[in-house]
Short mmCIF file of all heavy atoms in Angstrom, two decimals:
data_model
loop_
_atom_site.label_atom_id
_atom_site.label_comp_id
_atom_site.label_asym_id
_atom_site.label_seq_id
_atom_site.Cartn_x
_atom_site.Cartn_y
_atom_site.Cartn_z
N TRP A 47 30.97 80.32 -190.94
CA TRP A 47 32.13 79.57 -190.28
C TRP A 47 32.58 78.40 -191.14
O TRP A 47 33.75 78.15 -191.35
CB TRP A 47 31.76 79.04 -188.93
CG TRP A 47 31.72 80.14 -187.88
CD1 TRP A 47 31.92 81.51 -188.12
CD2 TRP A 47 31.42 80.02 -186.49
NE1 TRP A 47 31.76 82.18 -186.95
CE2 TRP A 47 31.47 81.29 -185.97
CE3 TRP A 47 31.10 78.98 -185.69
CZ2 TRP A 47 31.24 81.53 -184.62
CZ3 TRP A 47 30.91 79.16 -184.34
CH2 TRP A 47 30.97 80.49 -183.82
N TYR A 48 31.59 77.62 -191.67
CA TYR A 48 32.02 76.43 -192.34
C TYR A 48 32.14 76.59 -193.79
O TYR A 48 32.41 75.61 -194.52
CB TYR A 48 31.07 75.24 -191.97
CG TYR A 48 31.29 74.72 -190.57
CD1 TYR A 48 30.60 75.27 -189.47
CD2 TYR A 48 32.11 73.68 -190.39
CE1 TYR A 48 30.82 74.77 -188.23
CE2 TYR A 48 32.39 73.16 -189.11
CZ TYR A 48 31.75 73.69 -188.00
OH TYR A 48 31.96 73.19 -186.81
N SER A 49 31.91 77.77 -194.32
CA SER A 49 32.02 77.87 -195.82
C SER A 49 33.23 78.84 -196.13
O SER A 49 33.53 78.95 -197.32
CB SER A 49 30.68 78.50 -196.36
OG SER A 49 30.36 79.70 -195.63
N ASP A 50 33.86 79.33 -195.14
CA ASP A 50 34.96 80.27 -195.39
C ASP A 50 36.15 79.48 -196.07
O ASP A 50 36.48 78.31 -195.67
CB ASP A 50 35.42 80.90 -194.12
CG ASP A 50 36.66 81.72 -194.35
OD1 ASP A 50 36.51 82.83 -194.92
OD2 ASP A 50 37.81 81.27 -193.93
N GLU A 51 36.79 80.13 -197.07
CA GLU A 51 37.93 79.45 -197.71
C GLU A 51 39.12 80.38 -197.79
O GLU A 51 39.88 80.30 -198.73
CB GLU A 51 37.56 78.96 -199.04
CG GLU A 51 36.84 77.62 -198.87
CD GLU A 51 36.36 77.05 -200.24
OE1 GLU A 51 36.49 77.77 -201.24
OE2 GLU A 51 35.86 75.93 -200.25
N THR A 52 39.30 81.23 -196.79
CA THR A 52 40.47 82.19 -196.84
C THR A 52 41.76 81.43 -196.76
O THR A 52 42.75 81.86 -197.41
CB THR A 52 40.40 83.08 -195.58
OG1 THR A 52 39.02 83.45 -195.32
CG2 THR A 52 41.24 84.36 -195.85
N SER A 53 41.80 80.41 -196.03
CA SER A 53 42.99 79.66 -195.84
C SER A 53 42.72 78.12 -196.23
O SER A 53 41.52 77.78 -196.22
CB SER A 53 43.58 79.74 -194.53
OG SER A 53 44.29 78.58 -194.10
N GLN A 54 43.71 77.39 -196.43
CA GLN A 54 43.42 75.93 -196.73
C GLN A 54 42.98 75.28 -195.47
O GLN A 54 42.43 74.12 -195.46
CB GLN A 54 44.66 75.28 -197.36
CG GLN A 54 45.84 75.27 -196.47
CD GLN A 54 46.90 74.36 -196.91
OE1 GLN A 54 46.64 73.24 -197.37
NE2 GLN A 54 48.15 74.84 -196.80
N TRP A 55 43.20 75.86 -194.33
CA TRP A 55 42.93 75.21 -193.08
C TRP A 55 41.43 75.49 -192.64
O TRP A 55 41.25 76.38 -191.77
CB TRP A 55 43.84 75.70 -191.89
CG TRP A 55 45.26 75.58 -192.31
CD1 TRP A 55 46.17 76.57 -192.34
CD2 TRP A 55 46.02 74.42 -192.66
NE1 TRP A 55 47.42 76.09 -192.70
CE2 TRP A 55 47.32 74.74 -192.95
CE3 TRP A 55 45.62 73.07 -192.83
CZ2 TRP A 55 48.27 73.81 -193.35
CZ3 TRP A 55 46.62 72.19 -193.24
CH2 TRP A 55 47.87 72.52 -193.42
N THR A 56 40.56 74.98 -193.40
CA THR A 56 39.07 75.29 -193.03
C THR A 56 38.73 74.58 -191.75
O THR A 56 39.30 73.61 -191.30
CB THR A 56 38.22 74.75 -194.26
OG1 THR A 56 38.59 73.39 -194.47
CG2 THR A 56 38.48 75.50 -195.49
N LEU A 57 37.65 75.11 -191.22
CA LEU A 57 37.11 74.58 -189.99
C LEU A 57 36.51 73.19 -190.20
O LEU A 57 35.59 73.05 -190.98
CB LEU A 57 36.03 75.49 -189.40
CG LEU A 57 35.47 75.29 -188.05
CD1 LEU A 57 36.56 75.20 -187.03
CD2 LEU A 57 34.55 76.43 -187.65
N ASP A 58 37.06 72.14 -189.62
CA ASP A 58 36.52 70.83 -189.84
C ASP A 58 36.23 70.04 -188.54
O ASP A 58 36.15 68.83 -188.56
CB ASP A 58 37.42 70.00 -190.82
CG ASP A 58 38.78 69.81 -190.26
OD1 ASP A 58 39.03 70.29 -189.12
OD2 ASP A 58 39.66 69.26 -191.01
N TYR A 59 36.12 70.79 -187.46
CA TYR A 59 35.70 70.02 -186.24
C TYR A 59 34.19 70.44 -186.02
O TYR A 59 33.75 71.46 -186.51
CB TYR A 59 36.48 70.64 -185.05
CG TYR A 59 37.81 69.91 -184.76
CD1 TYR A 59 38.52 69.28 -185.75
CD2 TYR A 59 38.30 69.84 -183.47
CE1 TYR A 59 39.71 68.65 -185.54
CE2 TYR A 59 39.55 69.17 -183.19
CZ TYR A 59 40.20 68.62 -184.23
OH TYR A 59 41.36 67.98 -184.03
N PRO A 60 33.50 69.65 -185.16
CA PRO A 60 32.09 69.95 -184.95
C PRO A 60 31.84 71.29 -184.21
O PRO A 60 32.79 71.86 -183.69
CB PRO A 60 31.63 68.77 -184.03
CG PRO A 60 32.66 67.65 -184.28
CD PRO A 60 33.94 68.36 -184.62
#
Side-chain angles (χ1 to χ4, degrees):
Chain A
W47 285 2
Y48 283 89
S49 51
D50 175 74
E51 280 178 353
T52 321
S53 152
Q54 59 167 322
W55 311 118
T56 53
L57 189 54
D58 58 4
Y59 273 30

